[in-house]
Amino acid sequence: MARIDASLTELELKREEQLASLRDARGDLVAIAYQESVARILAEIREARRRLREGKHGVCVACHGMVSEERMEALPWATQCADCARRHSSWLR
């Protein structure tokens, strides 16, 4: 747990720095979209740290099954298993 929290903390700090370094994006749709993406990922990382403290990290929020180790390694802030994430993304289309 400590290793995962340290990794998430490092990712959170990097995203905070990244967000702070972005210039004012008024009128630049690409820059605005990028800022929103970084802010979304930062929020997801913070959520993952909260879930870790609560003992819920690695448990899918949709089906309550386990998120695979491979997915957690690739996306440490993942809150859904791959199947639920696919269903959710196809639903958004």
Side-chain angles (χ1 to χ4, degrees):
M1 185 166 131
R3 182 182 61 79
I4 295 169
D5 188 46
S7 176
L8 288 169
T9 299
E10 182 180 337
L11 289 167
E12 181 178 10
L13 292 172
K14 286 181 181 179
R15 294 295 187 202
E16 285 173 344
E17 290 172 1
Q18 187 178 16
L19 196 56
S21 73
L22 296 173
R23 64 179 176 79
D24 182 17
R26 283 181 292 209
D28 184 343
L29 296 179
V30 172
I32 291 168
Y34 183 65
Q35 283 178 325
E36 289 172 355
S37 176
V38 172
R40 179 187 47 78
I41 292 169
L42 180 58
E44 290 173 0
I45 292 169
R46 289 176 175 157
E47 173 67 8
R49 292 190 68 215
R50 183 190 65 75
R51 290 176 52 78
L52 182 65
R53 287 190 301 273
E54 293 175 356
K56 297 177 182 178
H57 189 259
V59 177
C60 179
V61 297
C63 71
H64 306 288
M66 296 305 295
V67 178
S68 72
E69 189 173 321
E70 294 83 14
R71 182 163 170 78
M72 294 306 298
E73 285 180 23
L75 195 67
W77 56 86
T79 59
Q80 293 182 329
C81 66
D83 289 338
C84 289
R86 265 192 299 280
R87 279 192 292 276
H88 180 77
S89 68
S90 67
W91 177 80
L92 292 175
R93 291 181 199 155

